[in-house]
Amino acid sequence: MGQPSLPTPPIAPSPTPPPLPQSAQLGAFPAAGCQVRCAGCKVVLTVLPGLTEFVCPTCRLPQMLPPELMRSTQAQVPAQGVDPTKIQLPCANCKAILNVPHGLTRFNCPQCYISLAVDLSKFGQLLPPSARLPPPPEEVNEVAIDVEREEDEGGLAGETFMDYRPSKLSIGPPHPDPVVETSSLSAVQPPEPTYDLQIKDDLESSKALSCLQIETLVYACQRHLQHLPDGARAGFFLGDGAGVGKGRTIAGLIWENWHHGRRKALWISVGSDLKFDARRDLDDVGATCIEVHALNKLPYSKLDSKSVGIMEGVVFLTYSSLIASSEKGRSRLQQLVQWCGQSDALIVFDECHKAKNLVPEAGGQPTKTGEAVLDIQARLPEARVIYCSATGASEPRNMGYMVRLGLWGAGTSFADFRQFLGAMEKGGVGALELVAMDMKARGMYVCRTLSYQGVEFEVVDVPLEAKMMDMYGRAAEFWAELRVELLSASTFLANEKPNSSQIWRLYWASHQRFFRHMCMSAKVPAVVRLSQQALLDNKCVVIGLQSTGEARTEEAVAKYGLELDDFISGPRELLFKFVEENYPLPDKPEPLPEESVIELQRKRHSATPGVSFAGRARKVAKFEVESEEESEWESETDTEPETESDDEFQICNICNSEGERKKLLLCSCCSQLIHPACVVPPVVEEVSGDWSCHSCKEKTEEYLRTRQAYYEELLKRYEGALERKLKILEIIRSLDLPNNPLDDIVDQLGGPDKVAEITGRRGMLVRASGGKGVTYQARNTKDVTMEMVNMHEKQQFMSGKKLVAIISEAGSAGVSLQADRRAVNQKRRVHLTLELPWSADRAIQQFGRTHRSNQTSAPEYRLSMNFQFVYRPSLQLLQ
């Protein structure tokens, strides 16, 4: 995009120069003239106003004024509608005078729609100090603008966020909570709104949506009127932060499309519980007539068939349902495509970051979820697509499924997503910011977040208790000894290298999980103490963690039963599982069959039937002699019947004399023929059954003794390894290891009657009424199904019946736990982080559960960690 030429700025009149000789003047000395020095003779000349070219009267050298001293010969008439607080610049195409705000470098002309760019650094050099307009007064940002200060450099790093207000729309009430926008996005203005909402009057009267949400509705609907160069309908990216109100905005979009006759919508989210939030949001905007159908409750047949009868409304489903299929091969994806048909139905990818692994890193495979999201967009090119997530574009690789934004493909600078990704990774964060600014300027992206005004952050250093230090030290010593034991035991598996490498991969993975549990358990006393103090201060508590230990608990219950003496220790069960399944035991030898020498010889004889090698050699030699010497009369004997057989006479293998076959003894082991008299001692009685020679008997007995010794050695080696394994398991049982943190916290804070658990696990351990022992029981009851248990626990917390809530990522996605003005429990939330996730975007999702719109008070965040063995997620968040 070219940069337009700037107009010649007015030049302030210079002061009256001293009188010059008459020969050096070009005319009568004017009050507004300017003085220049001749380029030839260096004489100072006075140039009359309006002259740009002149000839020096002394050296007769033709010259021209420099550009910065040229003045327009035409009288400038003040333009109508000039904003004195902005810069007036002409459009490079249509020459219209534009009011350009200070700091805006890229914009579109509102008349000819050409893209323009301004280099403010060059523009400032052209203006004299007296003609430069003062910058507009800066507004004091009182809404939690975080001004970063670099302590090492000791300077002001700059404002990161700016207060956000819709710049071109004034419909609707202000947002109930302060909202901010990044400083880079705030420097870009969205396009002019041209879409007229059908539900505008209803929204203004009901005030169900704020001005921010209505602005999103206008730009999303305006974007859906456009088509990409490949023919598909353009999409919109709603990237507002957690808690801004994306759910109600989506409900407004569905309601707006409903008024235009588009009465089919797909709402895809992360959990089936969020269906009730969708129903609430639709009711809030006045769309009570729109039905919400849960896809997981419907059969795989056609949705618009007579048996199902869904002709319109919102079909709510999860990303897991999107990739599901029946036993007969019917897929949910095909079912939804058939229901939508070729209509321009609305498709909302709520929490769309779940499809981010469509383009994995090298060596990875794309997920089925990402492929399904891409597939349904390809099958429904006319669908009106909305991407909705607070962390949907945390990395450029995660945007692979956002094909409706038109950032790559036909008509763009990038042929495909691979080229786009390469350019973004090469450009770094700066390139991503430019993409975001371009998307906002083109009206396809909004990204606002709640201000952190009033939010308190505190990093709580949890000191290690003496018991925990001793527990941690003994565990570290045990893992070191276990490694030595595994090295020793792996020597018997030297020929099984793949198995050995697998052991060490599992060893270090289990090692990491074990000490992660130890780090969590070390913070349990401090979390309980902070929770109890918050309850005494008339506040309520939300405790965030990532892992619940459900797998270890279910394995222990399956092994020990439903009634246990105490809570399950996650680290202990993890150790048990690793040692029991991966300790390198040699193969247990099978017991030897009880068979005699005769039976063994019979087997050997049956395995090698036929005559001996000596007999076969004799026959071959005899045949060769006959073929050479008796070939002359061979034809004469061909037709004569054989009167003798070679098998009637055989040679004894001891005396080498020929004898009658019936009189020779046949060894059942080596198949040798021996005269009875040649045997030592001679055989005088008739032999019945199998007979073996003396040599074969000795070899067979030696083989049996060797085989028995080898079996005993293998059995001894196996029993020794098994004994060492059992000894290790006994040491694990004797180790003092902490209980499962989740069960421990629930028990210390009053049990399930006092603590609301919003996690993904199905069962829990509850202490018995007498205080002795624990019992495993399901989380759901007769009145509450397993599908509704998290929603029920949330209602218990929001109504104030339970003042402590424990959330995990699996169970709390999209859940609102803030001090909502509509809820009974409006106490200030104290959010404690027992365990932080591995990525910053997932941490943002967890923090967004308690910091949301329409709250009476901002939460307090307490990041509990122990710096004696702080682990990676905590360090990343601190950095």
Side-chain angles (χ1 to χ4, degrees):
M1 179 171 56
Q3 180 174 346
S5 59
L6 301 178
T8 304
I11 304 300
S14 60
T16 304
L20 296 175
Q22 186 67 24
S23 61
Q25 295 184 5
L26 298 178
F29 179 74
C34 62
Q35 291 182 335
V36 296
R37 187 179 297 276
C38 177
C41 61
K42 308 301 181 184
V43 175
V44 177
L45 306 176
T46 300
V47 182
L48 299 177
L51 293 180
T52 59
E53 299 179 0
F54 58 93
V55 177
C56 176
T58 304
C59 63
R60 300 297 178 183
L61 177 66
Q63 303 177 52
M64 180 183 294
L65 286 177
E68 59 268 19
L69 296 181
M70 290 184 180
R71 296 181 60 184
S72 177
T73 58
Q74 300 178 357
Q76 298 186 3
V77 180
Q80 299 294 329
V82 173
D83 189 348
T85 63
K86 299 180 181 179
I87 305 174
Q88 284 71 47
L89 295 178
C91 174
N93 184 37
C94 64
K95 307 303 180 182
I97 303 299
L98 307 178
N99 294 319
V100 182
H102 288 270
L104 184 61
T105 58
R106 304 176 71 91
F107 57 92
N108 294 336
C109 178
Q111 293 191 13
C112 63
Y113 301 103
I114 189 173
S115 299
L116 303 173
V118 179
D119 190 346
L120 294 179
S121 60
K122 296 181 179 179
F123 179 77
Q125 296 176 0
L126 298 178
L127 290 177
S130 58
R132 296 175 187 172
L133 294 174
E138 296 184 359
E139 297 182 0
V140 179
N141 183 10
E142 299 177 355
V143 190
I145 295 181
D146 185 13
V147 181
E148 300 178 356
R149 295 182 181 275
E150 299 292 338
E151 295 183 358
D152 296 337
E153 300 178 1
L156 187 66
E159 294 179 345
T160 306
F161 294 97
M162 302 292 292
D163 288 340
Y164 184 84
R165 300 180 185 86
S167 58
K168 299 184 178 181
L169 284 173
S170 59
I171 308 174
H175 204 68
D177 294 277
V179 177
V180 296
E181 187 182 36
T182 60
S183 57
S184 58
L185 286 180
S186 64
V188 180
Q189 294 294 320
E192 293 293 331
T194 59
Y195 184 85
D196 188 18
L197 288 174
Q198 292 288 327
I199 60 174
K200 178 173 61 175
D201 297 336
D202 296 339
L203 294 178
E204 287 183 344
S205 60
S206 63
K207 298 183 179 180
L209 297 180
S210 67
C211 56
L212 276 71
Q213 296 166 320
I214 294 177
E215 180 191 34
T216 304
L217 261 64
V218 171
Y219 283 116
C221 295
Q222 185 170 318
R223 174 69 175 173
H224 285 160
L225 298 177
Q226 306 174 20
H227 283 77
L228 301 178
D230 61 357
R233 189 179 296 275
F236 187 82
F237 185 11
L238 176 55
D240 287 343
V244 174
K246 297 187 292 294
R248 190 172 291 194
T249 303
I250 294 172
L253 283 170
I254 296 174
W255 189 226
E256 171 68 17
N257 281 271
W258 184 274
H259 281 74
H260 284 272
R262 297 182 286 269
R263 301 197 169 188
K264 290 183 179 181
L266 301 180
W267 192 329
I268 309 173
S269 192
V270 293
S272 56
D273 295 345
L274 299 179
K275 171 205 169 185
F276 303 98
D277 292 345
R279 175 74 272 170
R280 179 203 61 200
D281 292 332
L282 286 170
D283 293 341
D284 290 342
V285 299
T288 55
C289 60
I290 301 179
E291 294 290 335
V292 180
H293 310 278
L295 186 64
N296 61 342
K297 301 294 184 182
L298 301 175
Y300 280 84
S301 57
K302 293 182 178 180
L303 296 179
D304 52 3
S305 61
K306 293 182 179 180
S307 59
V308 182
I310 299 179
M311 302 299 177
E312 58 185 24
V314 177
V315 175
F316 190 92
L317 67 149
T318 64
Y319 289 97
S320 299
S321 298
L322 186 62
I323 62 176
S325 60
S326 66
E327 297 178 354
K328 298 181 179 180
R330 299 176 180 176
S331 66
R332 291 292 192 188
L333 178 61
Q334 181 62 34
Q335 184 185 28
L336 296 173
V337 171
Q338 184 275 330
W339 184 68
C340 294
Q342 298 300 320
S343 64
D344 52 349
L346 181 66
I347 301 180
V348 179
F349 295 105
D350 193 10
E351 307 293 348
C352 60
H353 55 269
K354 289 296 181 180
K356 64 182 180 181
N357 292 324
L358 176 64
V359 183
E361 297 181 358
Q365 296 293 330
T367 60
K368 292 183 179 179
T369 301
E371 292 177 339
V373 169
L374 190 65
D375 191 13
I376 194 173
Q377 295 179 84
R379 295 192 187 188
L380 300 173
E382 285 296 324
R384 299 169 181 262
V385 176
I386 297 290
Y387 307 106
C388 180
S389 176
T391 55
S394 55
E395 294 183 10
R397 185 179 300 275
N398 299 344
M399 301 175 63
Y401 59 91
M402 298 183 181
V403 293
R404 296 296 185 90
L405 296 182
L407 298 177
W408 58 86
T412 66
S413 301
F414 309 100
D416 53 20
F417 179 71
R418 292 288 182 181
Q419 292 186 9
F420 174 80
L421 178 61
M424 293 301 102
E425 291 180 342
K426 184 177 180 180
V429 179
L432 292 176
E433 289 186 353
L434 289 176
V435 170
M437 295 168 67
D438 178 69
M439 290 168 60
K440 179 184 176 182
R442 292 163 61 183
M444 68 173 74
Y445 177 60
V446 292
C447 179
R448 295 76 55 101
T449 185
L450 285 180
S451 169
Y452 281 86
Q453 180 185 15
V455 177
E456 297 181 12
F457 287 90
E458 180 183 358
V459 178
V460 180
D461 183 13
V462 179
L464 275 179
E465 298 180 352
K467 179 181 179 181
M468 188 63 199
M469 293 181 65
D470 179 69
M471 196 181 298
Y472 189 91
R474 291 181 181 275
E477 293 176 0
F478 173 80
W479 276 96
E481 295 174 359
L482 179 61
R483 180 175 180 273
V484 175
E485 178 63 28
L486 292 177
L487 286 171
S488 176
S490 298
T491 56
F492 297 104
L493 304 176
N495 296 329
E496 302 180 13
K497 292 184 179 180
N499 188 23
S500 178
S501 61
Q502 179 70 12
I503 288 176
W504 293 116
R505 284 196 295 267
L506 294 173
Y507 173 86
W508 291 115
S510 301
H511 183 279
Q512 187 179 37
R513 287 195 295 268
F514 177 89
F515 284 102
R516 179 167 57 87
H517 281 292
M518 295 292 289
C519 292
M520 289 177 57
S521 301
K523 296 185 287 186
V524 167
V527 169
V528 172
R529 185 172 59 254
L530 292 172
S531 301
Q532 293 173 345
Q533 182 60 42
L535 295 176
L536 292 176
D537 296 339
N538 197 27
K539 302 174 183 177
C540 58
V541 180
V542 176
I543 302 173
L545 48 80
Q546 296 298 114
S547 54
T548 61
E550 180 187 20
R552 305 285 85 81
T553 301
E554 290 184 349
E555 291 172 0
V557 169
K559 186 189 303 182
Y560 307 121
L562 298 178
E563 296 183 358
L564 305 173
D565 295 334
D566 200 355
F567 290 106
I568 297 297
S569 173
R572 178 179 288 109
E573 295 302 321
L574 189 147
L575 269 176
F576 270 129
K577 182 178 178 63
F578 170 73
V579 174
E580 287 178 348
E581 296 181 357
N582 302 287
Y583 187 84
L585 285 177
D587 295 334
K588 183 179 180 179
E590 297 181 1
L592 296 177
E594 296 181 359
E595 54 187 2
S596 62
V597 176
I598 296 177
E599 292 175 350
L600 183 61
Q601 290 175 353
R602 184 184 298 112
K603 290 182 179 180
R604 296 181 61 186
H605 175 64
S606 62
T608 57
V611 298
S612 63
F613 175 77
R616 291 194 299 268
R618 185 185 64 81
K619 287 185 177 182
V620 172
K622 184 178 179 181
F623 176 77
E624 291 177 355
V625 173
E626 291 178 349
S627 62
E628 293 176 1
E629 297 179 358
E630 301 177 3
S631 59
E632 297 179 358
W633 49 276
E634 182 178 4
S635 60
E636 299 178 2
T637 59
D638 285 342
T639 59
E640 297 179 0
E642 294 184 1
T643 58
E644 294 183 355
S645 173
D646 292 337
D647 294 337
E648 293 182 1
F649 293 92
Q650 297 289 344
I651 297 176
C652 175
N653 290 88
I654 295 180
C655 63
N656 292 327
S657 61
E658 190 174 10
E660 192 175 347
R661 171 70 179 81
K662 297 179 180 180
K663 297 180 180 180
L664 297 178
L665 298 175
L666 175 63
C667 178
S668 62
C669 185
C670 62
S671 300
Q672 292 184 355
L673 295 171
I674 304 173
H675 287 119
C678 295
V679 180
V680 180
V683 177
V684 295
E685 299 178 356
E686 183 179 355
V687 177
S688 61
D690 295 333
W691 176 86
S692 60
C693 62
H694 180 70
S695 175
C696 289
K697 288 181 180 179
E698 289 183 348
K699 292 179 180 179
T700 302
E701 292 174 355
E702 179 65 22
Y703 167 75
L704 291 176
R705 288 193 299 270
T706 305
R707 187 179 68 169
Q708 182 65 26
Y710 179 72
Y711 169 77
E712 292 176 353
E713 177 64 24
L714 291 180
L715 185 61
K716 179 180 178 181
R717 184 180 300 178
Y718 171 78
E719 290 177 348
L722 182 61
E723 183 180 358
R724 289 193 300 271
K725 176 181 177 180
L726 295 177
K727 184 179 179 181
I728 293 174
L729 294 175
E730 190 63 30
I731 294 175
I732 295 174
R733 291 188 183 92
S734 64
L735 286 176
D736 186 15
L737 295 174
N739 295 330
N740 184 23
L742 177 55
D743 292 325
D744 209 2
I745 291 175
V746 173
D747 182 60
Q748 295 188 46
L749 292 178
D753 296 335
K754 301 291 185 181
V755 179
E757 180 182 339
I758 309 175
T759 64
R761 66 176 185 172
R762 297 179 293 272
M764 57 183 173
L765 291 173
V766 181
R767 189 170 297 280
S769 56
K772 294 183 180 180
V774 295
T775 304
Y776 180 82
Q777 64 182 30
R779 290 182 56 209
N780 63 313
T781 61
K782 295 181 180 180
D783 301 330
V784 181
T785 62
M786 182 61 68
E787 183 184 3
M788 293 294 299
V789 64
N790 282 337
M791 185 62 61
H792 175 72
E793 291 291 296
K794 173 196 169 184
Q795 295 298 332
Q796 293 282 308
F797 177 75
M798 297 300 287
S799 63
K801 296 180 180 180
K802 297 180 180 181
L803 297 180
V804 179
I806 299 181
I807 62 174
S808 69
E809 182 182 9
S812 64
V815 175
S816 301
L817 299 175
Q818 81 277 22
D820 199 331
R821 291 184 174 93
R822 298 171 296 180
V824 177
N825 181 12
Q826 298 185 10
K827 296 182 179 180
R828 189 174 190 182
R829 272 49 171 170
V830 178
H831 192 132
L832 303 175
T833 59
L834 179 67
E835 181 187 15
L836 289 171
W838 286 96
S839 59
D841 53 352
R842 294 168 71 180
I844 291 174
Q845 292 288 346
Q846 185 188 120
F847 292 157
R849 301 310 102 209
T850 53
H851 183 47
R852 307 178 72 82
S853 296
N854 200 38
Q855 59 188 6
T856 58
S857 58
E860 300 177 13
Y861 291 106
R862 301 287 183 266
L863 280 66
S864 59
M865 60 185 63
N866 191 298
F867 290 97
Q868 292 177 273
F869 49 76
V870 64
Y871 65 110
R872 180 182 171 189
S874 302
L875 288 176
Q876 284 185 337
L877 191 61
L878 287 177
Q879 291 172 355

